[in-house]
Amino acid sequence: MEPNEAKQILRRNAIRRRKTTSVSDRWQAGEALACGIDALPLPALHHTVAAYLSMGSEIETRPMLRALAERGYRLLLPRLGRGLDVGWGEYSGTAVEDHGTHRPQEPTGDTLPASALAHADLVLLPALLVDAHGVRLGRGGGWYDRALAHCVPGTPVVTVCWPWEVGHSALPHEPHDVPVTATYTPCGYSAIAYPQA
C-alpha cells in the first residue's frame, strides 16, 4: 500500500475515534494541558511559543494558550492564507477571525511571514497519531511540514494529542514529513527517545 493511501485510512480511523469525545471531554483535557505546562521545554526567559487554536475533535487549546500568555510568552498562531500559504499572527487571547468549519480560527491583526517561526523557542502543533520515532500524522494539508522548515535547528517541536494517539506502531512517512521531538497529552509531556532521521 502506498504511504499516502495508508495515511488516509489511519486518518479516518483516528478521526472516528476522536468523535467519541464530548465537548466536556475536550475542555477537561484542555484544562489538564494548561495545568501541566511546567513540564514543557519552555524557554528560561519569556520568549516566543508557536501554537494553534484547536478545532473540531481536537483537545481544546485555549486554556493552555491563556496559561502561556499569563506567563508572559509571546504566542504565534497559524494564519493559513490562500492555497498553501502559511503565515503567523500574534495571539493576545481575545479577538479571532472565523474562516468556516474546515479551518481553525485565526488571530486578528497583521500576518507575519512563514519565516517568523524562526523566532519560536518552542513549537506546539496538532497530530492525529504519533509513533515512537516521532513520525506525526496530521490532517494531510502539509501546512506544518512546510512551516517547520523555518524552525531554527534544535527547537523543540511538540505535538499535542490524546493519550491513545501516542506510541502507535510505525507510521507511514514520506521524505517531506518532519518528525517531532516530544508529545504532550493531558497525561503529561514525553520526549521522543529516537526521533526519525
Side-chain angles (χ1 to χ4, degrees):
M1 184 182 298
E2 292 296 317
N4 195 49
E5 183 182 356
K7 286 180 178 182
Q8 291 299 337
I9 293 170
L10 288 166
R11 283 187 186 102
R12 284 195 296 270
N13 292 337
I15 291 170
R16 187 178 302 115
R17 171 67 176 88
R18 280 187 170 189
K19 286 183 177 178
T20 66
T21 64
S22 67
V23 172
S24 176
D25 293 335
R26 296 166 203 160
W27 272 100
Q28 288 177 10
E31 293 290 352
L33 293 181
C35 290
I37 60 171
D38 286 332
L40 292 171
L42 292 165
L45 299 175
H46 294 173
H47 291 302
T48 301
V49 174
Y52 65 100
L53 279 165
S54 55
M55 60 180 285
S57 57
E58 293 175 339
I59 296 171
E60 182 56 62
T61 58
R62 284 163 183 81
M64 178 179 65
L65 296 175
R66 183 178 64 246
L68 290 167
E70 288 172 355
R71 296 276 189 96
Y73 290 99
R74 174 184 181 233
L75 298 173
L76 295 180
L77 305 186
R79 289 182 63 88
L80 302 181
R82 293 185 300 241
L84 301 180
D85 295 338
V86 181
W88 298 90
E90 290 195 40
Y91 180 63
S92 63
T94 52
V96 293
E97 298 174 357
D98 201 330
H99 294 279
T101 57
H102 299 293
R103 282 179 57 171
Q105 292 178 321
E106 300 178 1
T108 58
D110 295 336
T111 299
L112 304 173
S115 59
L117 196 61
H119 298 289
D121 303 287
L122 169 65
V123 178
L124 300 168
L125 72 166
L128 291 170
L129 296 170
V130 185
D131 72 15
H133 301 289
V135 175
R136 166 190 166 271
L137 183 69
R139 289 184 176 269
W143 288 307
Y144 280 104
D145 290 318
R146 287 187 293 277
L148 291 173
H150 297 281
C151 278
V152 172
T155 301
V157 177
V158 180
T159 191
V160 177
C161 54
W162 293 96
W164 61 81
E165 296 170 338
V166 177
H168 194 276
S169 56
L171 291 169
H173 64 280
E174 299 170 87
H176 66 269
D177 292 329
V178 178
V180 299
T181 61
T183 60
Y184 188 45
T185 78
C187 296
Y189 170 84
S190 181
I192 301 293
Y194 301 104
Q196 182 75 35

